Amino acid sequence: MDKQFDASSVEVRWSRRWEELAISHADPASPRPPFTIALPPPNITAPLHMGHAMGGSVQDSLIRHRRMRGYEVEWCPGTDHAAIATNAVIERQLLAEGTSKEAVGREAFQARVDAWYEECGGRIYEQMRRLGFSCDWARSRFTLDAGYVRAIRTVFKALFDQGLIYRGPRIVNWCPHDRSAISDEEVEHIEHQDLLTHLRYPLEGGGDVVVATVRPETMLGDTAVAVNPEDPRHRHLIGRWATLPLTGRRVPVIGDSAVLLDFGTGALKVTPGHDPTDYEIGTRHGLPIISVIAPDGTMDVPELPRFHGLTVERARREVTQALDELGAVVAEEPYVHEVGHCERCHHVVEPLVSEQWWVRMADLAAPAIGAVESGAIRFHPQRYTDFYLGWMRGIRDWCISRQIWLGHAIPVSTCANGHRFAWVEPPSACPSCGSTELRHDPDVLDTWFSSALWPFAIFGWPDETPELSRFYPTEVLTTAREIIFLWVARMIMVGLRFTGSKPFSDVLITSTILARDGSRMSKSRGNVVDPLEIIGRYGADAIRAWAAAVGTSGQDQRFDEERVASFQKFANKIWNVTRLLVSRLGDGESIPSAPSGLPPRALLPEDRWILGRLADTLQAVDQAISQYRFHDAVERLYSAIWQDFCSDYMEIVKVRLEDGVSPPSRAAAAATAVGTLDAMLRLLHPFMPFVTEECAQRLPDAAPSLQLRDWPQLDSGWSDPAHAGEQAAIDELMELVRALRARRQEAGISASDPTRHPVVVRGGGHELSADDRRRVLEALVRVRVVPSADGPAQVIVSGGLEAELHLPSGAGEERLRRQLADLESQAARLHARLSDPGFRDHAPAGVVAGTQQRLDEAARQAEALRRRLGPGV
RNA sequence: GGGCGGAUGGCGCAGCUGGUCAGCGCGUCUCGCUUACACCGAGAAGGCCGCAGGUUCGAGUCCUGCUCCGCCCACCA
């Protein structure tokens, strides 16, 4: 066994082993209770980043834990075709090659896409395996799989037939770059510094009205001027007509309460064709809609050649200038506001009116709101409940059609006689009239429409498959907060409607991983960290434990590579303590499974002590996992293993494990050490799967995999009421150990000095025999415990124990005085608190008693010190 | 404009229901290559928990206000 834990070879070996053992393949016929997670399918647009690595690690921890708890665990992996995002990736590639999708044609484009899915998808699965994810690979799904497509069409057709999907012209968020509509959720608002321009429109019959706008170019499509009917400055204008400069169009002045009194000039130019607010005003007043911007983002005003074909940005300048020439520009003021951008390509979104497919959301939302309000679905952290509910309560219809090449075709056709129908299997004739002259809808679906079906479509829905009935609904959905609206909400709505069950019961929102400087990780910033690189440097266990330590807080987390490194060291520590233990056991030695196989009498106090620590750790870990507080679990295990087991327990029992020691004592130590380490490895396994497997494998009587072992349970043999108080007595002794070490060092005794100076220990209860005390002390600190000694001594008071350490140099009184001063001020503070009648009256009895106890303790120690220091103190 | 989150030793973070909660990792300093581990061991230094009020016998921990950061939502053109 090497001194260094060789993560990479262990990872390769165990990954293969797990697959051979088929531990991750679930059986729908199993009698065990099911536990299912549907892995959020990563977009096949790029390899996984640290956020994916973390989210997946958190899920795998849950998965491994439940497996050990006896569940039939299904963790179904998959990938998402991510239509619009992949479309953008491929278009970018083509652009870089100096060509375009139009130039290469649909077929070649599709071939590029397929090749990309092959390559990128393969890399993603490879990353997941390297991270140690124990997914049910055989059930991997891709959102373009035939079965999945059928599920999508089934849902679409049902919603269509029920009137919940409709088509119609409405104002949409249009991305001129992608040449497609996008949903409200795919628009990101970015601050812009623009000009607010005040324009004067002359009124028929004299006078004028001044409107304010950041988009003067849209005035070419104005069809009204609106003022607030409550506005004393303007309301008398309602009913009059204005004449638009440049176009000469007559537009009415109308009254609408959407116009704000205190913004701009109080008068609003109304462009129903290119502004959502204006569109609604236009709807209310029956205004005509004039489109002046084409889908490619250029001006579409053939009757005005001066502006026709200009980009919107140029048109803005040109129109303003033209208006200025007419004297219509009254003022321009700098103005900061937010402008919508396409989340994918970051181009400015152009609101325009277009025929699209929509999902009516109100009916779908109601049960989805209820499921969360009733607590049937719970968010962790809890604050995301309101986040979700707020959005759901204000939900608007969802634009699901996209005008791109890539994605699921909208399963709707129209026949020559104008019958429009949705289908699941591509039709050859119209179901109404039999016409075979069919025109298929050219649009594709929003990717999130297909994602919404994920938890049940992966199991073969709409067929009643064994997997579906057994593994659905899933249990925990682990995801990032940024897709709560885009994905989580829609899964809940669709799942409830089509399966009658909530798709999951717990939504675990993981932390967001930021770059070291607190900025977002992004390719353009060049600060993206590759999980494989981190694995290469520190091992998969390190990244896994890091994920557990930072992933479940739901907080933003800056990526801290040092933290990952600390877990690599931890893995190495575990490896080495295993080596130590195994080397002391001897080849092929069989150890009775501790501690139940041993007569309790053979256990020494330190054995019972570490078993007590193990019991505490188990309880803490169980509680932490049940609350999704993985950082608590990992931290507890970190200190229990490193400090309690390695630094304390193993150091104490090392000598008992040597050859030639009395057999009962050695057997007890070996059994306790093996039993404790084994249990701790099992507890840690969900968070550090590789090193725990490798180490457990080297212990006597190992199972083929920890995944086939049971989760540790409290064992009555771990604590013995006959030895109550012993635990505390050992803890007290440990404190003395640290005090003795400190004193030795302070006295200038070299760490390498082998001299064991005599020490006399007094006080303490009767839980430990003098032998017990001597054995532990001498194992942990270089002293020799003697019944009595003469000469100058350093005095140490620690808890109820008092020790005289006989060192050659007599220094150290200063330290004693400092300690005494500390104790006195502590005692004074406690005394003051206890003398406060308010405290005595209000604080719970337990707290008062505890305070009293601490005061007594401090007083006793102080007294002992004063005695030692002699008169005059 | 509204909402949410953060502000704790040099850095990155944990502190659940108010009373050993002032802790962890890294870093720093001192001493040690002692046959498990130098990816180590031992010891030490370092924070009045953003600011100002309030509630309470008692507050990083609850309330109010404020200041900076980050994010989300929003039909003020």
Side-chain angles (χ1 to χ4, degrees), chain A residues 692-831:
Chain A
T692 50
E693 282 277 31
E694 185 65 16
C695 290
Q697 199 55 218
R698 304 194 177 244
L699 297 180
D701 308 316
S705 165
L706 283 180
Q707 282 286 279
L708 303 172
R709 299 279 307 282
D710 289 334
W711 188 251
Q713 302 240 315
L714 271 186
D715 187 319
S716 56
W718 292 356
S719 63
D720 187 345
H723 298 279
E726 195 179 69
Q727 199 82 3
I730 298 256
D731 285 339
E732 198 173 70
L733 206 51
M734 294 297 189
E735 268 182 57
L736 181 62
V737 163
R738 297 182 216 296
L740 284 167
R741 284 168 174 167
R743 192 61 63 81
R744 232 179 87 93
Q745 194 153 320
E746 258 178 21
I749 297 170
S750 165
S752 56
D753 187 336
T755 318
R756 286 184 172 273
H757 298 285
V759 64
V760 179
V761 182
R762 298 201 183 83
H766 53 274
E767 292 85 2
L768 300 177
S769 71
D771 256 5
D772 293 334
R773 210 175 267 153
R774 186 183 44 73
R775 186 178 58 252
V776 171
L777 279 180
E778 291 185 354
L780 295 176
V781 58
R782 203 165 283 166
V783 292
R784 179 164 47 90
V785 179
V786 295
S788 63
D790 297 328
Q794 306 258 329
V795 176
I796 298 159
V797 174
S798 168
L801 293 172
E802 188 182 326
E804 265 176 26
L805 178 60
H806 293 259
L807 295 173
S809 62
E813 185 160 299
E814 191 205 334
R815 184 188 164 115
L816 274 191
R817 291 185 190 286
R818 237 188 310 141
Q819 194 185 351
L820 178 58
D822 280 353
L823 284 167
E824 280 172 341
S825 82
Q826 195 189 338
R829 237 182 13 250
L830 294 168
H831 182 74

Side-chain angles (χ1 to χ4, degrees), chain A residues 168-218:
Chain A
R170 288 181 43 177
I171 192 148
V172 299
N173 306 296
W174 183 266
C175 175
H177 175 263
D178 292 340
R179 304 278 172 90
S180 176
I182 58 176
S183 67
D184 295 337
E185 289 67 43
E186 291 164 297
V187 176
E188 61 179 356
H189 297 273
I190 296 175
E191 195 171 280
H192 273 220
Q193 308 213 351
D194 280 322
L195 288 174
L196 187 62
T197 306
H198 295 229
L199 301 177
R200 174 186 291 120
Y201 292 175
L203 292 169
E204 279 183 6
D208 54 45
V209 60
V210 177
V211 297
T213 180
V214 286
R215 303 201 55 191
E217 74 282 9
T218 63

Side-chain angles (χ1 to χ4, degrees), chain A residues 581-604:
Chain A
L581 182 53
V582 169
S583 72
R584 295 288 159 96
L585 292 180
D587 282 347
E589 181 174 4
S590 182
I591 299 294
S593 60
S596 13
L598 287 169
R601 209 153 301 172
L603 295 181
L604 297 183

